[in-house]
């Protein structure tokens, strides 16, 4: 009997026992689930994934025990986590199709206790499911489900995927039955520094700080989906993206014990492959449409993208009905894995110096920005991707509020990007104007909390001061700070912290990785590429994509506030932002007035 591939995406299938490593029968109808059952996907530190169904009575120990039996992993001194939450016993808060992570509490293992890999027993205990399962049931995934159908047909027809050779992490092009590229799949355990990275960039466990300190290893795939979900009405042209559990033998496993290739299940981002002519680094930017640059820039500002370089902007020439190509081009933004960090870092916007970014927003773009609701966006992401950490959601809210206020006061995209970017002066990194506003808002919150606190007599006699979770050498003073026209030298704030041996080791790994990839040259000087681009822009002082960010540079943290403090902070932030923009407009008007008077008489 020929196979029926009409519905290969099995997102509601129960879990009987496996008879073969991949027992997929498209003709078999899934058994109905009893009420209260949920399907979850549990990933271990080595990258292997197990899908299982949970009953109401199941708890964290039940999940650990199943993992121990199926994947032959030790569960002593281990933690089952779901985003920010450590699951000690109760699993009632876990939604259907949620990814969980099992981590060892003791990370430094000796040579005598290697990471164990699945044995033959996994064949009897692994879940029975399709080759590709979408995590989540959003209506946004309709197009992605069609792509999954094509990929599954290709897999069942014996069409093998091919590895993607670019980038620092593992990626694979999955094909349809004709052998055409349909999707790019990036397993979370093959990211830079992840345990199964195929390009030698290993050394950390899932959940530890990654290439960016505020983006953890194994969590860039979630952020790829975030960018797609936030791109309402396909405004910025982000390709359809979803988080999946996918099974194939092509995936990399850095395990010498496992000699022969066998089917491996992994959690990965699944994005539509976009046929294009080149990327932005291979083409002059003068032909890029203003609207396309603005729309991508608006998305980058909302999600605080720290990696918008020319290589992840695809360019496709527009064709007419006859198949002939016009001079117009279309921009497709990809690679959003380093957006929404847990702390404010230094973003990188390739478009910041493009002439299109200095053109004012159109009425349609202003209307789109005005309708954005950061609180609704946050709630939507909590529903669709509940593993996203609260600190990242706060960055989304903060940046969207800032974008809305800046656009309302008439700032263009380039001005907004500059206010969010840090500068290097005299070899030191200074906080961005956005970070200075955040520090001012935190100062106001600290003062309000101090007013509500009854101080003992001894404390009242002490010198007046304020304190954050981040320690400062000097008090913050914004009296001489003019937004967009210079920076107060007193605004240089230094974070004092002691690095542990593990942090020092992480810094060494980061530097080695940066040097190997061309991000740093001899004696700490940035390398130049074929285009002659150096690591720092001497005229503007802004960081280049080729210059590594100093490890641990963090001026403002948003995740360390409780809900009450966060609410007070947002209220204070909106007040200081409005005052800053009013002051900025006043100074700008004054400069224009002086220009009208002329400068013909020079003494």
């Amino acid at each position: 009997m020929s196979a029926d591939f009409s519905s290969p995406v099995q997102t509601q299938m129960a879990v009987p026992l496996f008879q073969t490593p991949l027992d997929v029968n498209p003709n078999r109808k899934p058994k109905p689930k009893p009420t209260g059952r949920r399907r979850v996907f549990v990933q271990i530190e080595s990258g292997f994934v197990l899908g299982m169904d949970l009953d109401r009575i199941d708890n964290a120990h039940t999940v650990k025990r199943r993992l121990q039996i199926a994947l032959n992993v030790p569960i002593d001194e281990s933690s089952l986590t779901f985003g920010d939450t450590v699951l000690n016993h109760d699993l009632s808060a876990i939604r259907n199709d949620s990814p969980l992570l099992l981590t060892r509490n003791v990370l430094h293992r000796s040579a005598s206790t290697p990471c164990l890999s699945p044995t033959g027993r996994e064949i009897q205990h692994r879940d029975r499911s399709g080759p590709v399962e979408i995590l989540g049931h959003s209506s946004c995934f309709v197009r992605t489900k069609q792509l999954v159908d094509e990929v599954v047909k290709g897999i069942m027809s014996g069409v093998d995927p091919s590895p993607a050779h670019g980038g620092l992490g593992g990626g694979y092009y999955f094909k349809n039955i004709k052998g055409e590229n349909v999707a790019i799949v990036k397993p979370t355990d093959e990211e830079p520094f992840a345990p199964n990275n195929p390009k030698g960039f290993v050394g950390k466990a899932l959940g530890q700080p990654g290439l960016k300190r505020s983006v953890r290893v194994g969590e860039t795939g979630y952020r790829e989906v975030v960018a797609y979900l936030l791109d309402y009405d396909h405004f910025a042209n982000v390709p359809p993206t979803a988080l999946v559990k996918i099974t194939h033998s092509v995936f990399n496993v850095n395990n010498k014990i496992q000699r022969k290739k066998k089917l491996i299940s992994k959690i990965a981002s699944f994005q539509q492959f976009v046929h294009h002519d080149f990327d932005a680094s291979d083409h002059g930017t003068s032909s890029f449409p203003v609207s396309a640059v603005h729309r991508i820039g608006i998305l980058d500002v909302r999600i605080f993208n720290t990696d918008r370089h020319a290589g992840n902007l695809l360019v496709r020439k527009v064709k007419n009905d006859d198949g002939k190509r016009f001079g117009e081009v279309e921009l497709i933004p990809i690679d959003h894995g380093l957006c929404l960090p847990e702390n404010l870092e230094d973003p990188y916007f390739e478009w910041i110096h493009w002439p299109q970014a200095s053109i004012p927003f159109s009425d349609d773009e202003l209307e789109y920005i005005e309708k954005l609701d950061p609180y609704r966006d946050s709630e939507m992401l909590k529903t669709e991707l509940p593993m996203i950490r609260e600190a990242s959601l706060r960055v989304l809210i903060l940046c969207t509020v800032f974008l809305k206020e800046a656009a309302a006061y008439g700032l263009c995209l380039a001005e907004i990007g500059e206010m969010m970017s840090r500068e290097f002066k005299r070899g030191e990194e200074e906080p961005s104007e956005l970070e200075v506003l955040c520090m001012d808002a935190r100062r106001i919150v600290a003062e309000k909390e101090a007013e509500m606190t009854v101080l003992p007599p001894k404390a009242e006699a002490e010198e007046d001061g304020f304190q954050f979770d981040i320690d400062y050498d000097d008090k913050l003073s914004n009296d001489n700070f003019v937004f967009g026209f210079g920076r107060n030298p007193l605004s240089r704030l230094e974070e004092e912290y002691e690095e542990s041996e593990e942090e020092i080791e992480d810094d060494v790994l980061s530097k080695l990785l940066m040097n190997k990839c061309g991000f740093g040259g001899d004696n700490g000087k940035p390398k130049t590429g074929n285009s002659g681009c150096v690591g720092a822009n001497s005229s503007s002082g802004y960081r280049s994509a080729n210059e590594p960010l100093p490890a641990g540079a963090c001026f403002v943290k948003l995740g360390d506030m409780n809900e009450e403090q966060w609410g007070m902070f947002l209220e204070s932030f909106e007040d200081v932002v409005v005052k800053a923009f009013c002051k900025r407009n006043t100074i700008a008007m004054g400069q224009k007035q002086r220009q009208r008077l002329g400068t013909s008489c020079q003494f």
Side-chain angles (χ1 to χ4, degrees), residues 211-236:
L211 195 58
K212 296 278 187 179
R213 276 189 176 272
S214 54
V215 178
R216 305 181 190 229
V217 175
E219 297 187 3
T220 63
Y222 306 162
R223 289 167 166 82
E224 296 269 12
V225 184
V226 165
Y228 173 63
L229 293 175
L230 291 176
D231 187 22
Y232 299 121
D233 302 324
H234 212 49
F235 186 74

Side-chain angles (χ1 to χ4, degrees), residues 588-599:
M589 290 297 295
Q591 286 189 346
K592 290 180 180 179
Q593 184 65 29
R594 286 195 297 272
Q595 290 175 358
R596 292 193 189 99
L597 295 177
T599 57

Side-chain angles (χ1 to χ4, degrees), residues 58-283:
D58 290 334
N59 53 38
H61 179 74
T62 306
V63 174
K64 293 180 182 180
R65 180 58 180 163
R66 291 183 187 177
L67 286 170
Q68 184 181 39
I69 295 174
L71 301 182
N72 191 30
V73 294
I75 60 174
D76 295 335
E77 298 184 3
S78 63
S79 297
L80 189 65
T81 60
F82 179 57
D84 292 318
T85 306
V86 178
L87 304 172
N88 295 320
H89 184 77
D90 184 30
L91 301 179
S92 59
I94 304 303
R95 298 189 179 98
N96 194 39
D97 290 332
S98 295
L100 310 181
L101 177 65
L102 182 74
T103 59
R104 298 293 303 277
N105 296 336
V106 181
L107 295 177
H108 296 285
R109 305 182 185 88
S110 65
S112 60
T113 57
C115 295
L116 300 179
S117 60
T119 64
R121 288 183 293 173
E122 66 176 314
I123 296 177
Q124 283 75 34
H125 295 280
R126 191 186 293 178
D127 62 293
R128 178 193 296 178
S129 57
V132 185
E133 293 189 71
I134 296 178
L135 278 64
H137 301 278
S138 172
S139 59
C140 299
F141 297 148
V142 174
R143 173 56 182 153
T144 309
K145 290 179 180 179
Q146 296 173 354
L147 297 173
V148 168
D149 288 354
E150 295 184 47
V151 166
V152 172
K153 290 179 181 179
I155 293 175
M156 301 299 291
S157 300
V159 181
D160 291 329
S162 58
H165 299 292
L168 304 178
Y172 304 88
Y173 295 114
F174 276 73
K175 309 173 187 296
N176 59 18
I177 198 170
K178 298 179 181 179
E180 302 168 335
N181 291 339
V182 171
I184 175 73
V185 173
K186 300 178 183 178
T188 58
D189 67 319
E190 297 187 26
E191 298 174 6
F193 290 149
N196 289 318
N197 181 276
K199 300 174 182 177
F201 305 132
V202 296
K204 295 186 180 181
L206 298 177
Q208 289 186 307
L211 195 58
K212 296 278 187 179
R213 276 189 176 272
S214 54
V215 178
R216 305 181 190 229
V217 175
E219 297 187 3
T220 63
Y222 306 162
R223 289 167 166 82
E224 296 269 12
V225 184
V226 165
Y228 173 63
L229 293 175
L230 291 176
D231 187 22
Y232 299 121
D233 302 324
H234 212 49
F235 186 74
N237 210 18
V238 178
T241 313
L243 200 66
V244 300
K245 193 205 89 168
I246 185 166
T247 303
H248 203 279
S249 61
V250 72
F251 297 128
N252 183 67
V253 177
N254 292 328
N255 190 340
K256 294 181 180 179
I257 300 176
Q258 189 171 333
R259 297 291 182 182
K260 61 180 181 178
K261 285 282 186 179
K262 61 180 180 180
L263 292 169
I264 300 296
S265 295
K266 295 194 175 188
I267 292 177
S269 63
F270 182 100
Q271 186 174 81
Q272 178 183 10
F273 175 80
V274 178
H275 295 277
H276 56 282
D277 297 291
F278 33 74
D279 61 50
S281 63
D282 300 324
H283 192 272

Side-chain angles (χ1 to χ4, degrees), residues 415-457:
E415 293 172 317
I416 296 173
E418 288 173 355
M419 291 187 69
M420 299 176 69
S421 302
R422 295 175 180 175
E423 290 187 16
F424 286 86
K425 291 187 177 180
R426 297 177 298 276
E428 294 185 347
E429 187 179 47
E430 293 191 353
S432 66
E433 297 179 22
L434 172 61
E435 288 173 305
V436 172
L437 291 173
C438 291
M439 290 186 284
D440 200 12
R442 292 211 65 164
R443 174 181 59 81
I444 296 174
V445 172
E447 291 175 351
K448 289 181 179 179
E449 289 185 328
E451 292 175 358
M452 295 184 293
T453 304
V454 179
L455 299 177

Side-chain angles (χ1 to χ4, degrees), residues 25-46:
N25 186 350
N27 292 323
R28 182 185 293 113
K29 296 183 179 180
K31 297 180 180 179
K33 284 186 179 181
T35 304
R37 301 196 78 183
R38 294 153 295 162
R39 184 163 178 76
V40 299
F41 303 90
V42 190
Q43 187 175 34
I44 61 177
E45 285 182 334
S46 61

Side-chain angles (χ1 to χ4, degrees), residues 271-378:
Q271 186 174 81
Q272 178 183 10
F273 175 80
V274 178
H275 295 277
H276 56 282
D277 297 291
F278 33 74
D279 61 50
S281 63
D282 300 324
H283 192 272
T285 61
S286 60
S287 64
F288 295 165
V290 174
S291 61
V293 175
H294 282 190
R295 292 178 175 219
I296 292 172
I298 290 170
L299 176 66
D300 287 340
V301 169
R302 290 172 62 199
I303 62 179
F304 201 81
N305 197 344
T306 64
D307 191 37
R308 173 60 72 210
H309 58 80
N312 56 35
L313 279 175
L314 304 182
V315 182
R316 181 168 56 190
K317 295 181 180 179
V318 178
K319 298 180 181 179
N320 60 12
D321 297 336
D322 298 332
K324 297 181 179 180
R325 299 189 176 186
F326 291 108
E328 297 180 2
V329 296
E330 178 186 7
L331 298 182
I332 303 99
I334 59 171
D335 292 344
H336 299 96
L338 295 179
C339 71
L340 289 189
E342 295 181 36
N343 299 317
L344 292 182
E345 291 195 5
D346 187 23
Y348 183 75
F349 305 133
E350 179 76 21
W351 42 257
I352 199 169
H353 297 301
W354 293 357
Q356 295 92 329
S358 297
I359 297 176
F361 291 120
S362 67
D363 293 339
D364 291 341
E365 292 161 354
L366 290 174
E367 182 181 0
Y368 182 88
I369 294 173
E370 184 181 5
K371 291 182 178 179
L372 293 174
D373 186 344
Y375 305 100
R376 181 195 63 184
D377 294 344
S378 176

